[in-house]
Amino acid sequence: MAIQVGNEFPETQLKYVPFDAANPEVCGLPQVLDTKKDFAGKKVVIFGVPGAFTPTCSAQHLPLYVAQADAIKAKGVDLIVCVSSNDFFVLDAWGKQNQ
């Protein structure tokens, strides 16, 4: 299914581990992001990468979004979501490494 700008995102649940700036070394408890509820009324950018800790994703894909996060949000985006084939604990560790 191709998604165009302005389309409603398909309903699904994504698991993630929220980042805690006060305790960055602690691995938090997994949470559920419910696209129907958590994307409702929001402008969301979703991008996917083949895998965390892969050379190209770590050097090129993710850093571009991290570096441009403020500019993206300045265009009215409420949430930036990265998805990958990895589990949420791996993505949590990768995210901490690439803040």
Side-chain angles (χ1 to χ4, degrees):
M1 169 204 283
I3 299 173
Q4 304 295 322
V5 173
N7 285 149
E8 186 172 311
F9 193 80
E11 184 176 346
T12 191
Q13 293 184 335
L14 306 170
K15 289 189 179 178
Y16 71 101
V17 176
F19 177 71
D20 181 357
N23 298 302
E25 299 301 316
V26 174
C27 185
L29 296 174
Q31 304 292 312
V32 174
L33 184 125
D34 183 312
T35 59
K36 182 174 178 96
K37 181 182 82 175
D38 297 320
F39 290 5
K42 295 180 181 172
K43 187 183 279 188
V44 180
V45 170
I46 301 173
F47 69 100
V49 296
F53 295 106
T54 62
T56 303
C57 293
S58 293
Q60 295 177 7
H61 299 151
L62 183 63
L64 292 173
Y65 284 92
V66 172
Q68 295 297 317
D70 289 337
I72 293 168
K73 289 182 177 180
K75 294 183 181 201
V77 171
D78 300 299
L79 187 61
I80 302 169
V81 177
C82 175
V83 295
S84 180
S85 60
N86 302 96
D87 67 54
F88 42 86
F89 291 117
V90 171
L91 289 174
D92 176 54
W94 190 49
K96 287 176 180 174
Q97 184 181 18
N98 289 281
Q99 301 182 56

